[in-house]
Amino acid sequence: MIRMAVGAVIQKDDKLLLVHKVKGAQGKIKGMWDFPKGGMEPQDKSMEAALLRELEEETGSTKFTITKPFKDRIAFRFDAVTQEKLGFEGQETTMFLVEYAGDGTDLKPQDDEIDDIRWFSIDDVAQLLFPEARVFFESYVLVRGED
């Protein structure tokens, strides 16, 4: 079974917002910058509702506007420990382009999964991401723009 998830490429001016994840299903992990994202839950009425919930859970902010979904998704298989803990073989994440309208003072990690939230220049983002997110970012966001 594949876990359905949602994620966001969040922009403001010429910067993109990333979260620094330090905990996963398997417990503490080596810190990794990533797009805010997470799994759909039964109470989510739509992907957009799930995304807004995840954004608030991960960043503390509600000052987001979903612009549009991307056509491509980020897909990967979980390691054995995560598969056993979550009950899913992998994850398929529908990504959305999102605008942030806040002033930054509301952006604060909300749990022990994330220890930092920062804005990065678009030129610096690819090198920070894990491989599957990097492929999505480089092939879709950078090459095709906002199609």
Side-chain angles (χ1 to χ4, degrees), residues 79-133:
D79 61 44
V81 172
T82 304
Q83 284 184 22
E84 186 171 325
K85 187 162 187 175
L86 296 180
F88 293 101
E89 294 173 18
Q91 179 167 298
E92 186 174 292
T93 306
T94 299
M95 297 295 292
F96 292 83
L97 182 63
V98 174
E99 295 283 337
Y100 172 68
D103 63 6
T105 59
D106 59 335
L107 296 171
K108 293 179 179 62
Q110 297 302 297
D111 60 32
D112 60 354
E113 178 183 330
I114 294 166
D115 71 351
D116 199 2
I117 301 169
R118 283 194 209 155
W119 293 99
F120 291 93
S121 160
I122 195 166
D123 296 331
D124 296 332
V125 169
Q127 65 189 352
L128 299 170
L129 300 171
F130 70 95
E132 294 85 357

Side-chain angles (χ1 to χ4, degrees), residues 53-98:
R53 175 188 50 76
E54 278 293 333
L55 291 176
E56 185 174 5
E57 286 177 5
E58 294 198 358
T59 71
S61 179
T62 58
K63 296 180 176 159
F64 298 104
T65 301
I66 299 171
T67 304
K68 66 175 185 139
F70 286 102
K71 293 175 192 150
D72 291 347
R73 296 179 177 171
I74 297 174
F76 56 90
R77 290 186 58 81
F78 289 127
D79 61 44
V81 172
T82 304
Q83 284 184 22
E84 186 171 325
K85 187 162 187 175
L86 296 180
F88 293 101
E89 294 173 18
Q91 179 167 298
E92 186 174 292
T93 306
T94 299
M95 297 295 292
F96 292 83
L97 182 63
V98 174

Side-chain angles (χ1 to χ4, degrees), residues 8 16 29 36 72 101 110 126-127 136-137 140-141:
L16 298 179
I29 59 173
D72 291 347
Q110 297 302 297
Q127 65 189 352
F136 164 80
F137 182 72
Y140 197 76
V141 177

Side-chain angles (χ1 to χ4, degrees), residues 5-29:
V6 290
V9 176
I10 301 170
Q11 64 181 29
K12 181 175 174 92
D13 303 320
D14 61 347
K15 303 274 187 192
L16 298 179
L17 187 72
L18 298 179
V19 295
H20 193 248
K21 294 191 177 184
V22 292
K23 183 178 177 189
Q26 66 275 63
K28 287 284 185 185
I29 59 173

